[in-house]
Amino acid sequence: MSMIEVDKLTKDYGHGRGVFDVSFEVNEGETLGFLGPNGAGKSTTMRHLMGFSRPQSGRVSIAGMDCGSQQHKLLSKVGYLPGEVALPEGLTGQQFIEMMQGLRGVRSNERVRSLLELFRLDPSGSVKRMSIGEKRKLAVVTAFMSDPEVLLLDEPTSGLDPVMQEVFTEFIRSEKKRGKTILLSSHIFSEVEALCDRIAIIKDGRLVSTVLAEDVRHGLHNIMTVEFDSEKDFRRFIQSGMEPDEASGRYCRVTVDDSDMDRFIHALKGCRIRSLNEHCVTLEEYFMHFYKNNKTFGGVCNA
Ligand SMILES: Nc1ncnc2c1ncn2[C@@H]1O[C@H](COP(=O)(O)OP(=O)(O)OP(=O)(O)O)[C@@H](O)[C@H]1O
Ligand SMILES: [Mg+2]
């Protein structure tokens, strides 16, 4: 069952900015990674899911409830960690926690205490004097204290030191095990790979690819570098219909999907080759490909 649904979401801020016709879903208990360069539309999508912005067209819902018109019902179900944490500076951390407990209807202090302990945060000081990381931790504590079913995490570990990043990653792993549904935007490939079941890539406001994390871990595509014995052998290979990404003289580089491997091996039949090297495309390489240009590795991969 899909818990988060984004259906043809469009918000046009002009000059090509915003999100356009974005559709995806996150199933109950699933973690979807949301990757994309700066300005791609990740935070905009999340703000719509929180009901802070209304779609120009399309629909966003959580647990079947429209995020705009039923926002009040969703607040207790959803934990949101914004990309930019803006906290009221006139309060102490503790006062802020109490204010959020009131808003979220959280009565027990037990979870707050364990979160403060886990993230090693002393909330007694004024928010104004907290470091960026401390403010981030405070936002983490308030996002998780109601033990929400759905988590919208916008670059959750930015501003946290490496030790705290690890603590956070472990914490998310345990939340996943408890069946939480998570949408997580990040620029850290290892974090996305470690935590997510599927990964959606957004660029210039449009979803360009969705891949299974398992496929990423096994290598999304294979890049084969072939050195032929002669140019004649190379031409024979080309005549079989294979399209290299790069070729010069006796050498060529060709991207081969798993589904294309048979065709590739068939194309090599009858060709004399000197060497054949295989390189599996990592998530970072796959992502950077979208970042740098519009081409895909032999076609968009959708999961
Ligand atoms: N309220 C707004 N008014 C005008 N333009 C906006 C508004 N909010 C976002 N944008 C524009 O929409 C685009 C997407 O912004 P968004 O914050 O969603 O990007 P992002 O993917 O979260 O980027 P980052 O990785 O830098 O956080 C950007 O070009 C941004 O300038
Ligand atoms: Mg953002």
Side-chain angles (χ1 to χ4, degrees):
M1 185 200 126
S2 62
M3 182 65 105
I4 300 176
E5 278 186 78
V6 176
D7 184 24
K8 298 192 178 78
L9 171 66
T10 296
K11 181 70 153 233
D12 189 347
Y13 290 122
H15 308 284
R17 294 174 172 196
V19 288
F20 307 94
D21 211 25
V22 168
S23 297
F24 64 86
E25 47 193 56
V26 191
N27 295 320
E28 194 175 350
E30 187 185 32
T31 301
L32 181 76
F34 209 20
L35 274 181
N38 293 134
K42 303 177 296 293
S43 301
T44 301
T45 305
M46 290 208 184
R47 280 199 300 272
H48 280 82
L49 283 164
M50 283 305 293
F52 298 151
S53 291
R54 296 294 165 103
Q56 222 154 11
S57 62
R59 188 172 181 268
V60 284
S61 64
I62 295 178
M65 288 181 266
D66 183 84
C67 299
S69 58
Q70 292 177 285
Q71 186 198 33
H72 59 288
K73 282 194 198 157
L74 286 171
L75 282 179
S76 60
K77 251 184 173 330
V78 182
Y80 173 54
L81 190 60
E84 277 172 41
V85 176
L87 303 170
E89 300 212 324
L91 303 178
T92 65
Q94 185 58 38
Q95 285 167 335
F96 178 67
I97 289 170
E98 283 162 17
M99 186 182 95
M100 293 307 286
Q101 279 180 307
L103 285 173
R104 303 253 162 169
V106 180
R107 286 186 196 91
S108 152
N109 282 321
E110 206 175 304
R111 191 163 160 89
V112 174
R113 262 198 302 274
S114 73
L115 286 166
L116 287 171
E117 207 171 295
L118 180 67
F119 291 103
R120 290 179 223 154
L121 178 69
D122 173 4
S124 60
S126 107
V127 169
K128 198 175 173 179
R129 285 193 207 99
M130 284 184 178
S131 71
I132 292 171
E134 286 165 341
K135 283 182 186 159
R136 196 87 199 147
K137 288 179 185 183
L138 186 57
V140 169
V141 171
T142 51
F144 286 95
M145 68 186 180
S146 61
D147 202 10
E149 278 173 60
V150 177
L151 300 164
L152 304 178
L153 309 174
D154 197 355
E155 295 185 43
T157 54
S158 78
L160 296 182
D161 68 44
V163 174
M164 278 301 130
Q165 282 187 14
E166 227 174 277
V167 170
F168 187 85
T169 304
E170 265 318 302
F171 175 65
I172 295 297
R173 262 205 196 102
S174 66
E175 290 295 286
K176 254 172 82 88
K177 280 195 191 133
R178 294 177 63 222
K180 302 299 170 79
T181 305
I182 306 172
L183 176 63
L184 178 148
S185 91
S186 175
H187 290 287
I188 305 168
F189 299 106
S190 56
E191 180 174 279
V192 172
E193 258 185 85
L195 293 174
C196 300
D197 303 305
R198 273 188 310 137
I199 301 157
I201 299 178
I202 187 169
K203 189 187 176 193
D204 298 333
R206 294 175 198 277
L207 215 65
V208 289
S209 182
T210 311
V211 290
L212 287 175
E214 198 188 356
D215 288 346
V216 173
R217 286 189 276 272
H218 288 102
L220 279 166
H221 297 278
N222 308 296
I223 297 178
M224 313 299 275
T225 309
V226 192
E227 182 192 355
F228 294 93
D229 207 40
S230 67
E231 282 195 41
K232 197 173 140 213
D233 289 295
F234 168 64
R235 280 197 299 277
R236 188 184 191 128
F237 173 72
I238 295 296
Q239 275 159 13
S240 68
M242 290 306 294
E243 287 177 21
D245 305 326
E246 263 178 53
S248 73
R250 294 180 294 106
Y251 293 88
C252 88
R253 208 168 60 87
V254 53
T255 304
V256 186
D257 282 335
D258 285 352
S259 58
D260 242 9
M261 194 53 88
D262 226 30
R263 203 162 70 87
F264 172 73
I265 290 171
H266 201 75
L268 285 176
K269 266 191 189 150
C271 302
R272 281 171 305 158
I273 57 171
R274 286 191 186 174
S275 65
L276 176 65
N277 285 301
E278 182 188 14
H279 168 72
C280 289
V281 175
T282 64
L283 176 64
E284 185 165 349
E285 287 166 332
Y286 187 68
F287 172 77
M288 289 309 264
H289 205 72
F290 286 104
Y291 189 91
K292 287 177 178 164
N293 58 45
N294 284 314
K295 284 188 232 148
T296 63
F297 285 101
V300 171
C301 184
N302 279 308

